[in-house]
Structure formats: structure tokens, C-alpha cells
Amino acid sequence: MHSLNNLIIEFYDKLSSWEQSVVKDTGYSLAQVHTIEVLGSHGPMRMKELADRLGITTGTLTVQVEKLVQFGLIVRTPHEVDRRSIMVELTSEGTALHKQHNRMHLQLTEDITRHLDPESIKVLTQSFEKMNREF
Amino acid sequence: MHSLNNLIIEFYDKLSSWEQSVVKDTGYSLAQVHTIEVLGSHGPMRMKELADRLGITTGTLTVQVEKLVQFGLIVRTPHEVDRRSIMVELTSEGTALHKQHNRMHLQLTEDITRHLDPESIKVLTQSFEKMNREF
DNA sequence: TTTATTAGTTTGATTGTCAAATTATCTTGA
DNA sequence: TCAAGATAATTTGACAATCAAACTAATAAA
């Protein structure tokens, strides 16, 4: 258990460094790419929900979103029924960036699991499912 | 492979949020606790090595270390042979903080793996070892 | 012994962040 | 119904963390 704990921490640190270096190559900041990632994997959503998912305040997000709109990566549209709310979604460019980033992630996953046999991959997948459920 | 990739990303995000909330309770910042974590798990080291492990410049670290010294969590001592270098190490208070944080991590690992059978834990551990090697 | 490299600090600028105040809209309960 | 409270987003002012570049001191290499 103790060694598994250390392995998880090491895994997290390495994934962190990897993400940092991959993001740097895009020319956008970590916070910006993270915003694109969330919108890309969960679809359009309100400012409030996006802020909650990113773990930041809406005040911070307002500024962040402003920049991404200027970059042409996202657009703001009024919420259909709630006029207080604003929906945020990816443009085609934003979607392209998300897809590109996703491909990098997929490639990394393939790279780091290449010495695992099919049975281990199966157990690993099931274990991640169970662990994610327990957070 | 595609689903494993998504599970890894989800795992990473959840671990990120967990760390954020756990760190907030300590009263120290994420960057500060991270510095303590690295020193705690790898022992005393030079500024340069610490900066590299944290993925920041030595300029940033100089400021960061200054604060941690004021908090009484670390001390700076001259390097024994290289007079350009400065060794940074945890005080007993810093060590206490590290141990406390480590206990939280261990508890989390126990919590999220409680529905895994011994054989899965074994495979999971071996898989993490292999994946960490491939980064 | 020059010259180049390395370790750490300082400085100035930028980014990401929050809390609090503000405006607009929605929801609720009397 | 409608006044009071709650919620969504923005704005503002203040910090934290960060980097790049200039700088000092010490070591390494030619």
C-alpha cells in the first residue's frame, strides 16, 4: 500500500510535467488549455459550471474567457431560458485544439502502457474505474 | 485504449482537486506544500536541483524559499564544498508538515483502493511501476 | 591564467487568482 | 402578486507565482 501510494504520487508528478511541456508547445497557457479541455470533453456549459469544473471563481473565469474569445477559441452565447446565464462553447478552432491535445494524451497513454500485456491493461482499466468512483 | 486514456485524465483531475482542497486546509499555498513534499521525499538538496524538480526557475525559487524560511519550515545552509551552492532542508516543523501531508496521501490511496482485491492491487502496482518508467 | 560555465539573487513585467462590490435576472414565500 | 432573497456574471483592487534578463560570486576548462 505504501509503495502503491508512492507510485501514484510519482505518476501524478510525471503526468504534471508532461502536461506542462506539451501545453507550452501550443503557445497557450496551462489555464487556457485546461479550459479548452473541459469544454471539449463535456460540451458547452454556463460560466458558473465551467468555473466550478475548473476550480476557480467566476470572476477569474470572466477574464480568462475574454482572452480565449479574442483568440477565437471559444464563443459566448446567451442561455436560452435563463437570461442571467451565458453559455460558453468551442469554436471550430477551439475544437481543433482540443482534438490535437487529446491525440497527444492518447499517444502518451499508448507509450506508457506499451509494456503491459492485455490482461494487465484490462485490470488497470477496471481499477481506474473503481478508483475514480471512490474520490 | 481510448477509455483507459479518459480514465487516466479523470484520475489526474480528481487527484488535482483533492490535492488543492487538502493543501488549502494547511494554510499554505500549493507551491509551498509542493516544495515541502519534494524536500521531504528526496531529502536536502541544492537550490538548482530543487528548482529543476519543481519545474520552476531558480529566480522564482529564491523568493519561494525566503518565505518558507520565514515560516520556519526550511533552513538554508552553505554547500560543504561548492561555495556557489546553498543546501535547502526541512526543519523539524517542515518534516512534521511533510509527514502529515504524507499521511493524507496514504489515507487517500487506501480509500480509493478499498474495493480492489489483492490480486488487482498487485497488478496495479506493477503497472504503475512500468508506466512510471516509460515517461 | 584567462575564459567560459554554473549557482544563486534581484528586478520588472505578466498571469492567474481571490474577495468584495455591483448589476441583472430568477425564485420563493407571504 | 410582488417584495425579499438567491443566483449568474462582471468589475475592481490586491496579491501569489511565475519568467526572462541582468548581475555577482565561484568553479571549471582552455
Side-chain angles (χ1 to χ4, degrees):
Chain A
M1 182 55 62
H2 189 263
S3 66
L4 177 56
N5 182 50
N6 290 333
L7 288 165
I8 289 175
I9 292 172
E10 185 183 346
F11 182 76
Y12 178 82
D13 280 348
K14 290 187 169 181
L15 200 45
S16 232
S17 306
W18 177 86
E19 181 80 8
Q20 196 115 27
S21 78
V22 161
V23 163
K24 182 177 279 179
D25 294 341
T26 67
Y28 298 105
S29 73
L30 195 58
Q32 286 162 357
V33 172
H34 196 198
T35 303
I36 298 302
E37 271 190 286
V38 170
L39 284 173
S41 56
H42 293 93
M45 64 185 75
R46 292 177 307 162
M47 292 287 289
K48 185 59 168 60
E49 184 182 353
L50 184 52
D52 287 347
R53 283 191 189 274
L54 292 170
I56 60 180
T57 63
T58 54
T60 300
L61 184 60
T62 294
V63 180
Q64 203 60 256
V65 160
E66 190 50 52
K67 276 183 238 158
L68 292 173
V69 168
Q70 280 170 14
F71 290 147
L73 296 174
I74 64 178
V75 287
R76 280 188 274 209
T77 59
H79 191 282
E80 294 183 354
V81 298
D82 189 341
R83 283 188 296 169
R84 292 171 304 179
S85 290
I86 287 187
M87 295 295 288
V88 183
E89 62 183 305
L90 296 181
T91 60
S92 56
E93 279 151 277
T95 304
L97 177 58
H98 173 244
K99 279 186 180 160
Q100 181 208 316
H101 189 73
N102 219 42
R103 271 196 298 277
M104 305 286 277
H105 267 291
L106 198 56
Q107 185 60 54
L108 174 70
T109 299
E110 280 167 12
D111 289 347
I112 64 177
T113 59
R114 70 189 168 136
H115 288 132
L116 300 182
D117 56 272
E119 179 57 24
S120 294
I121 298 227
K122 201 175 144 195
V123 173
L124 184 62
T125 301
Q126 289 167 348
S127 298
F128 268 121
E129 276 169 1
K130 288 180 181 167
M131 288 192 292
N132 286 348
R133 236 180 275 138
E134 295 300 321
F135 264 96
Chain B
M1 182 55 60
H2 190 261
S3 68
L4 177 55
N5 182 48
N6 289 333
L7 288 166
I8 289 174
I9 293 172
E10 186 184 346
F11 182 77
Y12 178 82
D13 280 349
K14 290 188 167 179
L15 201 44
S16 233
S17 306
W18 177 87
E19 181 79 9
Q20 196 116 25
S21 78
V22 161
V23 162
K24 182 177 278 181
D25 295 341
T26 67
Y28 298 106
S29 74
L30 196 58
Q32 286 161 358
V33 173
H34 196 198
T35 304
I36 299 302
E37 270 191 285
V38 170
L39 284 173
S41 56
H42 293 94
M45 64 185 75
R46 290 177 308 161
M47 292 286 290
K48 185 58 168 58
E49 184 182 352
L50 184 52
D52 287 347
R53 283 191 189 273
L54 292 170
I56 60 180
T57 62
T58 54
T60 299
L61 185 59
T62 294
V63 180
Q64 203 61 256
V65 160
E66 189 49 51
K67 276 183 236 158
L68 293 173
V69 168
Q70 279 169 16
F71 290 146
L73 295 175
I74 63 177
V75 286
R76 280 189 273 211
T77 57
H79 190 283
E80 292 183 354
V81 298
D82 189 342
R83 283 188 295 169
R84 290 170 306 180
S85 289
I86 287 187
M87 296 296 285
V88 183
E89 63 182 305
L90 296 181
T91 60
S92 54
E93 279 152 276
T95 303
L97 177 59
H98 173 245
K99 279 185 180 161
Q100 181 207 317
H101 189 74
N102 218 42
R103 271 196 299 277
M104 304 285 277
H105 266 292
L106 199 56
Q107 185 59 56
L108 174 71
T109 299
E110 280 168 11
D111 289 347
I112 64 178
T113 58
R114 71 189 169 137
H115 288 131
L116 300 184
D117 57 88
E119 178 57 23
S120 294
I121 297 227
K122 200 175 143 195
V123 173
L124 184 61
T125 302
Q126 288 167 348
S127 298
F128 268 122
E129 276 168 1
K130 286 180 183 167
M131 289 192 293
N132 287 347
R133 236 179 274 138
E134 295 299 322
F135 264 96

mmCIF file of all heavy atoms in Angstrom, chain A residues 94-135:
data_model
loop_
_atom_site.group_PDB
_atom_site.id
_atom_site.type_symbol
_atom_site.label_atom_id
_atom_site.label_comp_id
_atom_site.label_asym_id
_atom_site.label_seq_id
_atom_site.Cartn_x
_atom_site.Cartn_y
_atom_site.Cartn_z
ATOM 1 N N GLY A 94 -11.235 26.051 -31.603
ATOM 2 C CA GLY A 94 -11.133 25.519 -30.256
ATOM 3 C C GLY A 94 -11.255 24.001 -30.262
ATOM 4 O O GLY A 94 -10.510 23.300 -29.573
ATOM 5 N N THR A 95 -12.185 23.513 -31.076
ATOM 6 C CA THR A 95 -12.369 22.065 -31.202
ATOM 7 C C THR A 95 -11.122 21.406 -31.781
ATOM 8 O O THR A 95 -10.709 20.333 -31.337
ATOM 9 C CB THR A 95 -13.581 21.761 -32.101
ATOM 10 O OG1 THR A 95 -14.731 22.410 -31.560
ATOM 11 C CG2 THR A 95 -13.843 20.273 -32.180
ATOM 12 N N ALA A 96 -10.518 22.086 -32.739
ATOM 13 C CA ALA A 96 -9.297 21.551 -33.356
ATOM 14 C C ALA A 96 -8.180 21.449 -32.322
ATOM 15 O O ALA A 96 -7.466 20.440 -32.251
ATOM 16 C CB ALA A 96 -8.865 22.434 -34.523
ATOM 17 N N LEU A 97 -8.066 22.496 -31.499
ATOM 18 C CA LEU A 97 -7.025 22.484 -30.458
ATOM 19 C C LEU A 97 -7.292 21.358 -29.464
ATOM 20 O O LEU A 97 -6.372 20.640 -29.060
ATOM 21 C CB LEU A 97 -7.008 23.835 -29.724
ATOM 22 C CG LEU A 97 -6.024 23.941 -28.554
ATOM 23 C CD1 LEU A 97 -4.597 23.660 -29.002
ATOM 24 C CD2 LEU A 97 -6.111 25.323 -27.893
ATOM 25 N N HIS A 98 -8.554 21.202 -29.099
ATOM 26 C CA HIS A 98 -8.909 20.135 -28.173
ATOM 27 C C HIS A 98 -8.571 18.765 -28.756
ATOM 28 O O HIS A 98 -8.009 17.913 -28.076
ATOM 29 C CB HIS A 98 -10.401 20.189 -27.826
ATOM 30 C CG HIS A 98 -10.854 19.018 -27.017
ATOM 31 N ND1 HIS A 98 -11.764 18.096 -27.470
ATOM 32 C CD2 HIS A 98 -10.495 18.600 -25.784
ATOM 33 C CE1 HIS A 98 -11.930 17.169 -26.540
ATOM 34 N NE2 HIS A 98 -11.192 17.452 -25.512
ATOM 35 N N LYS A 99 -8.917 18.574 -30.028
ATOM 36 C CA LYS A 99 -8.639 17.274 -30.660
ATOM 37 C C LYS A 99 -7.139 16.996 -30.723
ATOM 38 O O LYS A 99 -6.693 15.879 -30.483
ATOM 39 C CB LYS A 99 -9.235 17.254 -32.068
ATOM 40 C CG LYS A 99 -10.721 16.949 -32.053
ATOM 41 C CD LYS A 99 -11.274 16.788 -33.457
ATOM 42 C CE LYS A 99 -12.780 16.488 -33.422
ATOM 43 N NZ LYS A 99 -13.455 16.771 -34.684
ATOM 44 N N GLN A 100 -6.419 18.049 -31.040
ATOM 45 C CA GLN A 100 -4.956 17.891 -31.120
ATOM 46 C C GLN A 100 -4.393 17.499 -29.752
ATOM 47 O O GLN A 100 -3.575 16.578 -29.642
ATOM 48 C CB GLN A 100 -4.350 19.212 -31.590
ATOM 49 C CG GLN A 100 -2.831 19.170 -31.727
ATOM 50 C CD GLN A 100 -2.230 20.548 -31.505
ATOM 51 O OE1 GLN A 100 -2.739 21.544 -32.009
ATOM 52 N NE2 GLN A 100 -1.142 20.607 -30.755
ATOM 53 N N HIS A 101 -4.867 18.193 -28.727
ATOM 54 C CA HIS A 101 -4.382 17.908 -27.387
ATOM 55 C C HIS A 101 -4.770 16.493 -26.954
ATOM 56 O O HIS A 101 -3.987 15.784 -26.323
ATOM 57 C CB HIS A 101 -4.946 18.936 -26.400
ATOM 58 C CG HIS A 101 -4.338 18.841 -25.036
ATOM 59 N ND1 HIS A 101 -3.056 19.264 -24.760
ATOM 60 C CD2 HIS A 101 -4.817 18.342 -23.869
ATOM 61 C CE1 HIS A 101 -2.782 19.029 -23.484
ATOM 62 N NE2 HIS A 101 -3.826 18.473 -22.923
ATOM 63 N N ASN A 102 -5.972 16.107 -27.332
ATOM 64 C CA ASN A 102 -6.444 14.771 -26.995
ATOM 65 C C ASN A 102 -5.597 13.680 -27.653
ATOM 66 O O ASN A 102 -5.342 12.640 -27.072
ATOM 67 C CB ASN A 102 -7.908 14.637 -27.423
ATOM 68 C CG ASN A 102 -8.711 13.854 -26.418
ATOM 69 O OD1 ASN A 102 -8.543 14.046 -25.220
ATOM 70 N ND2 ASN A 102 -9.562 12.967 -26.904
ATOM 71 N N ARG A 103 -5.190 13.958 -28.885
ATOM 72 C CA ARG A 103 -4.327 12.999 -29.581
ATOM 73 C C ARG A 103 -3.011 12.813 -28.840
ATOM 74 O O ARG A 103 -2.497 11.698 -28.748
ATOM 75 C CB ARG A 103 -4.044 13.479 -31.014
ATOM 76 C CG ARG A 103 -5.063 13.014 -32.044
ATOM 77 C CD ARG A 103 -4.532 13.175 -33.468
ATOM 78 N NE ARG A 103 -4.251 14.567 -33.800
ATOM 79 C CZ ARG A 103 -5.163 15.445 -34.208
ATOM 80 N NH1 ARG A 103 -6.423 15.069 -34.343
ATOM 81 N NH2 ARG A 103 -4.824 16.684 -34.486
ATOM 82 N N MET A 104 -2.481 13.923 -28.299
ATOM 83 C CA MET A 104 -1.238 13.841 -27.531
ATOM 84 C C MET A 104 -1.434 12.957 -26.302
ATOM 85 O O MET A 104 -0.577 12.124 -25.983
ATOM 86 C CB MET A 104 -0.808 15.238 -27.066
ATOM 87 C CG MET A 104 -0.659 16.257 -28.165
ATOM 88 S SD MET A 104 0.829 15.975 -29.130
ATOM 89 C CE MET A 104 2.010 16.798 -28.079
ATOM 90 N N HIS A 105 -2.561 13.145 -25.632
ATOM 91 C CA HIS A 105 -2.861 12.339 -24.454
ATOM 92 C C HIS A 105 -2.959 10.856 -24.818
ATOM 93 O O HIS A 105 -2.425 10.001 -24.121
ATOM 94 C CB HIS A 105 -4.195 12.787 -23.824
ATOM 95 C CG HIS A 105 -4.028 13.805 -22.740
ATOM 96 N ND1 HIS A 105 -3.460 13.523 -21.521
ATOM 97 C CD2 HIS A 105 -4.343 15.125 -22.686
ATOM 98 C CE1 HIS A 105 -3.442 14.612 -20.768
ATOM 99 N NE2 HIS A 105 -3.970 15.606 -21.451
ATOM 100 N N LEU A 106 -3.639 10.602 -25.914
ATOM 101 C CA LEU A 106 -3.817 9.221 -26.338
ATOM 102 C C LEU A 106 -2.477 8.587 -26.683
ATOM 103 O O LEU A 106 -2.195 7.432 -26.327
ATOM 104 C CB LEU A 106 -4.757 9.185 -27.556
ATOM 105 C CG LEU A 106 -5.394 7.847 -27.876
ATOM 106 C CD1 LEU A 106 -6.167 7.306 -26.695
ATOM 107 C CD2 LEU A 106 -6.315 7.963 -29.088
ATOM 108 N N GLN A 107 -1.638 9.362 -27.341
ATOM 109 C CA GLN A 107 -0.310 8.872 -27.703
ATOM 110 C C GLN A 107 0.502 8.561 -26.446
ATOM 111 O O GLN A 107 1.187 7.541 -26.364
ATOM 112 C CB GLN A 107 0.419 9.930 -28.551
ATOM 113 C CG GLN A 107 1.774 9.460 -29.079
ATOM 114 C CD GLN A 107 1.638 8.228 -29.961
ATOM 115 O OE1 GLN A 107 0.877 8.216 -30.921
ATOM 116 N NE2 GLN A 107 2.364 7.165 -29.626
ATOM 117 N N LEU A 108 0.378 9.457 -25.450
ATOM 118 C CA LEU A 108 1.100 9.231 -24.192
ATOM 119 C C LEU A 108 0.626 7.931 -23.538
ATOM 120 O O LEU A 108 1.437 7.111 -23.108
ATOM 121 C CB LEU A 108 0.879 10.397 -23.222
ATOM 122 C CG LEU A 108 1.474 10.167 -21.829
ATOM 123 C CD1 LEU A 108 2.998 10.205 -21.863
ATOM 124 C CD2 LEU A 108 0.930 11.163 -20.807
ATOM 125 N N THR A 109 -0.697 7.770 -23.492
ATOM 126 C CA THR A 109 -1.250 6.556 -22.887
ATOM 127 C C THR A 109 -0.727 5.307 -23.596
ATOM 128 O O THR A 109 -0.351 4.330 -22.951
ATOM 129 C CB THR A 109 -2.794 6.598 -22.933
ATOM 130 O OG1 THR A 109 -3.245 7.726 -22.192
ATOM 131 C CG2 THR A 109 -3.391 5.344 -22.323
ATOM 132 N N GLU A 110 -0.683 5.378 -24.924
ATOM 133 C CA GLU A 110 -0.141 4.240 -25.670
ATOM 134 C C GLU A 110 1.330 4.008 -25.334
ATOM 135 O O GLU A 110 1.762 2.879 -25.136
ATOM 136 C CB GLU A 110 -0.299 4.478 -27.180
ATOM 137 C CG GLU A 110 -1.710 4.169 -27.656
ATOM 138 C CD GLU A 110 -1.982 4.684 -29.071
ATOM 139 O OE1 GLU A 110 -1.018 5.080 -29.761
ATOM 140 O OE2 GLU A 110 -3.165 4.707 -29.470
ATOM 141 N N ASP A 111 2.069 5.099 -25.247
ATOM 142 C CA ASP A 111 3.501 4.993 -24.966
ATOM 143 C C ASP A 111 3.791 4.369 -23.606
ATOM 144 O O ASP A 111 4.645 3.491 -23.483
ATOM 145 C CB ASP A 111 4.160 6.375 -25.028
ATOM 146 C CG ASP A 111 4.232 6.909 -26.462
ATOM 147 O OD1 ASP A 111 4.013 6.114 -27.395
ATOM 148 O OD2 ASP A 111 4.509 8.108 -26.635
ATOM 149 N N ILE A 112 3.080 4.853 -22.587
ATOM 150 C CA ILE A 112 3.415 4.376 -21.235
ATOM 151 C C ILE A 112 2.864 2.983 -20.937
ATOM 152 O O ILE A 112 3.297 2.345 -19.987
ATOM 153 C CB ILE A 112 2.948 5.367 -20.134
ATOM 154 C CG1 ILE A 112 1.430 5.502 -20.120
ATOM 155 C CG2 ILE A 112 3.622 6.723 -20.302
ATOM 156 C CD1 ILE A 112 0.910 6.415 -19.017
ATOM 157 N N THR A 113 1.920 2.517 -21.758
ATOM 158 C CA THR A 113 1.358 1.181 -21.493
ATOM 159 C C THR A 113 1.869 0.123 -22.464
ATOM 160 O O THR A 113 1.383 -1.002 -22.471
ATOM 161 C CB THR A 113 -0.192 1.202 -21.595
ATOM 162 O OG1 THR A 113 -0.578 1.638 -22.901
ATOM 163 C CG2 THR A 113 -0.803 2.116 -20.558
ATOM 164 N N ARG A 114 2.872 0.489 -23.241
ATOM 165 C CA ARG A 114 3.288 -0.453 -24.305
ATOM 166 C C ARG A 114 3.923 -1.738 -23.769
ATOM 167 O O ARG A 114 4.000 -2.726 -24.490
ATOM 168 C CB ARG A 114 4.229 0.242 -25.288
ATOM 169 C CG ARG A 114 5.585 0.547 -24.693
ATOM 170 C CD ARG A 114 6.437 1.416 -25.590
ATOM 171 N NE ARG A 114 7.574 1.891 -24.838
ATOM 172 C CZ ARG A 114 8.812 1.908 -25.320
ATOM 173 N NH1 ARG A 114 9.060 1.552 -26.556
ATOM 174 N NH2 ARG A 114 9.799 2.328 -24.554
ATOM 175 N N HIS A 115 4.393 -1.725 -22.505
ATOM 176 C CA HIS A 115 4.947 -2.969 -21.966
ATOM 177 C C HIS A 115 3.989 -3.722 -21.053
ATOM 178 O O HIS A 115 4.391 -4.590 -20.286
ATOM 179 C CB HIS A 115 6.265 -2.687 -21.230
ATOM 180 C CG HIS A 115 7.390 -2.363 -22.154
ATOM 181 N ND1 HIS A 115 8.227 -1.281 -21.965
ATOM 182 C CD2 HIS A 115 7.804 -2.960 -23.293
ATOM 183 C CE1 HIS A 115 9.100 -1.224 -22.948
ATOM 184 N NE2 HIS A 115 8.874 -2.229 -23.771
ATOM 185 N N LEU A 116 2.709 -3.332 -21.167
ATOM 186 C CA LEU A 116 1.706 -4.048 -20.372
ATOM 187 C C LEU A 116 0.970 -5.050 -21.264
ATOM 188 O O LEU A 116 0.569 -4.704 -22.371
ATOM 189 C CB LEU A 116 0.699 -3.062 -19.780
ATOM 190 C CG LEU A 116 1.246 -1.988 -18.841
ATOM 191 C CD1 LEU A 116 0.099 -1.130 -18.298
ATOM 192 C CD2 LEU A 116 2.010 -2.611 -17.688
ATOM 193 N N ASP A 117 0.808 -6.269 -20.757
ATOM 194 C CA ASP A 117 0.069 -7.261 -21.542
ATOM 195 C C ASP A 117 -1.431 -6.957 -21.475
ATOM 196 O O ASP A 117 -1.876 -6.227 -20.578
ATOM 197 C CB ASP A 117 0.357 -8.669 -21.009
ATOM 198 C CG ASP A 117 0.039 -8.780 -19.543
ATOM 199 O OD1 ASP A 117 0.926 -8.477 -18.711
ATOM 200 O OD2 ASP A 117 -1.112 -9.128 -19.213
ATOM 201 N N PRO A 118 -2.200 -7.476 -22.412
ATOM 202 C CA PRO A 118 -3.640 -7.191 -22.498
ATOM 203 C C PRO A 118 -4.393 -7.430 -21.195
ATOM 204 O O PRO A 118 -5.280 -6.648 -20.833
ATOM 205 C CB PRO A 118 -4.131 -8.164 -23.576
ATOM 206 C CG PRO A 118 -2.942 -8.394 -24.429
ATOM 207 C CD PRO A 118 -1.763 -8.356 -23.502
ATOM 208 N N GLU A 119 -4.028 -8.456 -20.470
ATOM 209 C CA GLU A 119 -4.718 -8.760 -19.223
ATOM 210 C C GLU A 119 -4.469 -7.663 -18.186
ATOM 211 O O GLU A 119 -5.385 -7.242 -17.474
ATOM 212 C CB GLU A 119 -4.248 -10.131 -18.695
ATOM 213 C CG GLU A 119 -4.865 -10.551 -17.386
ATOM 214 C CD GLU A 119 -6.405 -10.589 -17.416
ATOM 215 O OE1 GLU A 119 -6.994 -10.735 -18.516
ATOM 216 O OE2 GLU A 119 -7.014 -10.459 -16.333
ATOM 217 N N SER A 120 -3.230 -7.191 -18.121
ATOM 218 C CA SER A 120 -2.903 -6.110 -17.180
ATOM 219 C C SER A 120 -3.651 -4.836 -17.528
ATOM 220 O O SER A 120 -4.136 -4.114 -16.653
ATOM 221 C CB SER A 120 -1.401 -5.821 -17.197
ATOM 222 O OG SER A 120 -0.694 -6.924 -16.704
ATOM 223 N N ILE A 121 -3.754 -4.560 -18.832
ATOM 224 C CA ILE A 121 -4.481 -3.361 -19.277
ATOM 225 C C ILE A 121 -5.934 -3.445 -18.844
ATOM 226 O O ILE A 121 -6.524 -2.456 -18.429
ATOM 227 C CB ILE A 121 -4.393 -3.221 -20.816
ATOM 228 C CG1 ILE A 121 -2.926 -3.041 -21.218
ATOM 229 C CG2 ILE A 121 -5.278 -2.083 -21.303
ATOM 230 C CD1 ILE A 121 -2.654 -1.943 -22.189
ATOM 231 N N LYS A 122 -6.474 -4.647 -18.924
ATOM 232 C CA LYS A 122 -7.860 -4.842 -18.525
ATOM 233 C C LYS A 122 -8.035 -4.568 -17.029
ATOM 234 O O LYS A 122 -8.928 -3.828 -16.618
ATOM 235 C CB LYS A 122 -8.272 -6.288 -18.844
ATOM 236 C CG LYS A 122 -9.762 -6.498 -18.958
ATOM 237 C CD LYS A 122 -10.053 -7.936 -19.396
ATOM 238 C CE LYS A 122 -11.309 -8.464 -18.724
ATOM 239 N NZ LYS A 122 -11.417 -9.935 -18.838
ATOM 240 N N VAL A 123 -7.140 -5.164 -16.238
ATOM 241 C CA VAL A 123 -7.206 -4.968 -14.782
ATOM 242 C C VAL A 123 -6.969 -3.496 -14.438
ATOM 243 O O VAL A 123 -7.639 -2.929 -13.576
ATOM 244 C CB VAL A 123 -6.159 -5.847 -14.061
ATOM 245 C CG1 VAL A 123 -6.101 -5.515 -12.577
ATOM 246 C CG2 VAL A 123 -6.479 -7.320 -14.273
ATOM 247 N N LEU A 124 -6.018 -2.890 -15.135
ATOM 248 C CA LEU A 124 -5.688 -1.481 -14.902
ATOM 249 C C LEU A 124 -6.902 -0.589 -15.169
ATOM 250 O O LEU A 124 -7.236 0.285 -14.379
ATOM 251 C CB LEU A 124 -4.525 -1.081 -15.808
ATOM 252 C CG LEU A 124 -3.957 0.324 -15.653
ATOM 253 C CD1 LEU A 124 -3.389 0.543 -14.258
ATOM 254 C CD2 LEU A 124 -2.867 0.574 -16.704
ATOM 255 N N THR A 125 -7.557 -0.859 -16.286
ATOM 256 C CA THR A 125 -8.743 -0.076 -16.662
ATOM 257 C C THR A 125 -9.839 -0.212 -15.613
ATOM 258 O O THR A 125 -10.404 0.788 -15.154
ATOM 259 C CB THR A 125 -9.279 -0.549 -18.031
ATOM 260 O OG1 THR A 125 -8.244 -0.388 -19.008
ATOM 261 C CG2 THR A 125 -10.495 0.262 -18.458
ATOM 262 N N GLN A 126 -10.095 -1.453 -15.212
ATOM 263 C CA GLN A 126 -11.127 -1.674 -14.193
ATOM 264 C C GLN A 126 -10.752 -1.017 -12.863
ATOM 265 O O GLN A 126 -11.611 -0.470 -12.162
ATOM 266 C CB GLN A 126 -11.329 -3.171 -13.972
ATOM 267 C CG GLN A 126 -12.030 -3.852 -15.146
ATOM 268 C CD GLN A 126 -11.953 -5.376 -15.058
ATOM 269 O OE1 GLN A 126 -11.194 -5.924 -14.251
ATOM 270 N NE2 GLN A 126 -12.718 -6.054 -15.903
ATOM 271 N N SER A 127 -9.454 -1.056 -12.543
ATOM 272 C CA SER A 127 -9.005 -0.454 -11.288
ATOM 273 C C SER A 127 -9.200 1.057 -11.310
ATOM 274 O O SER A 127 -9.637 1.650 -10.323
ATOM 275 C CB SER A 127 -7.537 -0.787 -11.041
ATOM 276 O OG SER A 127 -7.382 -2.187 -10.918
ATOM 277 N N PHE A 128 -8.865 1.679 -12.442
ATOM 278 C CA PHE A 128 -9.068 3.128 -12.555
ATOM 279 C C PHE A 128 -10.554 3.477 -12.430
ATOM 280 O O PHE A 128 -10.921 4.451 -11.790
ATOM 281 C CB PHE A 128 -8.514 3.659 -13.886
ATOM 282 C CG PHE A 128 -7.084 4.130 -13.810
ATOM 283 C CD1 PHE A 128 -6.106 3.559 -14.625
ATOM 284 C CD2 PHE A 128 -6.707 5.151 -12.942
ATOM 285 C CE1 PHE A 128 -4.785 3.993 -14.554
ATOM 286 C CE2 PHE A 128 -5.385 5.597 -12.876
ATOM 287 C CZ PHE A 128 -4.427 5.007 -13.679
ATOM 288 N N GLU A 129 -11.389 2.665 -13.041
ATOM 289 C CA GLU A 129 -12.842 2.908 -12.934
ATOM 290 C C GLU A 129 -13.277 2.901 -11.475
ATOM 291 O O GLU A 129 -13.979 3.796 -11.017
ATOM 292 C CB GLU A 129 -13.620 1.829 -13.706
ATOM 293 C CG GLU A 129 -13.754 2.122 -15.182
ATOM 294 C CD GLU A 129 -14.280 0.911 -15.966
ATOM 295 O OE1 GLU A 129 -14.546 -0.149 -15.335
ATOM 296 O OE2 GLU A 129 -14.403 1.029 -17.199
ATOM 297 N N LYS A 130 -12.812 1.878 -10.752
ATOM 298 C CA LYS A 130 -13.193 1.773 -9.341
ATOM 299 C C LYS A 130 -12.599 2.912 -8.517
ATOM 300 O O LYS A 130 -13.280 3.472 -7.652
ATOM 301 C CB LYS A 130 -12.746 0.423 -8.778
ATOM 302 C CG LYS A 130 -13.583 -0.739 -9.300
ATOM 303 C CD LYS A 130 -13.120 -2.069 -8.738
ATOM 304 C CE LYS A 130 -13.971 -3.208 -9.309
ATOM 305 N NZ LYS A 130 -13.369 -4.534 -9.028
ATOM 306 N N MET A 131 -11.358 3.249 -8.780
ATOM 307 C CA MET A 131 -10.718 4.329 -8.007
ATOM 308 C C MET A 131 -11.405 5.669 -8.275
ATOM 309 O O MET A 131 -11.674 6.424 -7.348
ATOM 310 C CB MET A 131 -9.227 4.411 -8.346
ATOM 311 C CG MET A 131 -8.414 3.253 -7.787
ATOM 312 S SD MET A 131 -6.625 3.507 -7.888
ATOM 313 C CE MET A 131 -6.357 3.456 -9.659
ATOM 314 N N ASN A 132 -11.678 5.952 -9.532
ATOM 315 C CA ASN A 132 -12.330 7.227 -9.861
ATOM 316 C C ASN A 132 -13.690 7.366 -9.180
ATOM 317 O O ASN A 132 -14.107 8.471 -8.840
ATOM 318 C CB ASN A 132 -12.495 7.370 -11.373
ATOM 319 C CG ASN A 132 -11.183 7.668 -12.075
ATOM 320 O OD1 ASN A 132 -10.178 7.986 -11.428
ATOM 321 N ND2 ASN A 132 -11.172 7.563 -13.395
ATOM 322 N N ARG A 133 -14.343 6.249 -8.999
ATOM 323 C CA ARG A 133 -15.650 6.265 -8.353
ATOM 324 C C ARG A 133 -15.549 6.626 -6.866
ATOM 325 O O ARG A 133 -16.497 7.133 -6.287
ATOM 326 C CB ARG A 133 -16.289 4.871 -8.498
ATOM 327 C CG ARG A 133 -17.655 4.900 -9.164
ATOM 328 C CD ARG A 133 -18.225 3.501 -9.285
ATOM 329 N NE ARG A 133 -17.757 2.810 -10.490
ATOM 330 C CZ ARG A 133 -17.384 1.525 -10.542
ATOM 331 N NH1 ARG A 133 -17.381 0.786 -9.447
ATOM 332 N NH2 ARG A 133 -16.997 0.999 -11.692
ATOM 333 N N GLU A 134 -14.396 6.310 -6.268
ATOM 334 C CA GLU A 134 -14.244 6.493 -4.814
ATOM 335 C C GLU A 134 -13.777 7.876 -4.381
ATOM 336 O O GLU A 134 -13.702 8.162 -3.188
ATOM 337 C CB GLU A 134 -13.264 5.451 -4.269
ATOM 338 C CG GLU A 134 -13.744 4.019 -4.396
ATOM 339 C CD GLU A 134 -15.055 3.795 -3.643
ATOM 340 O OE1 GLU A 134 -15.204 4.358 -2.551
ATOM 341 O OE2 GLU A 134 -15.923 3.081 -4.170
ATOM 342 N N PHE A 135 -13.427 8.718 -5.324
ATOM 343 C CA PHE A 135 -12.927 10.049 -4.943
ATOM 344 C C PHE A 135 -14.028 10.887 -4.302
ATOM 345 O O PHE A 135 -15.196 10.743 -4.660
ATOM 346 C CB PHE A 135 -12.392 10.786 -6.180
ATOM 347 C CG PHE A 135 -10.914 10.656 -6.345
ATOM 348 C CD1 PHE A 135 -10.388 9.680 -7.186
ATOM 349 C CD2 PHE A 135 -10.038 11.513 -5.681
ATOM 350 C CE1 PHE A 135 -9.019 9.568 -7.354
ATOM 351 C CE2 PHE A 135 -8.680 11.397 -5.857
ATOM 352 C CZ PHE A 135 -8.170 10.420 -6.689
#
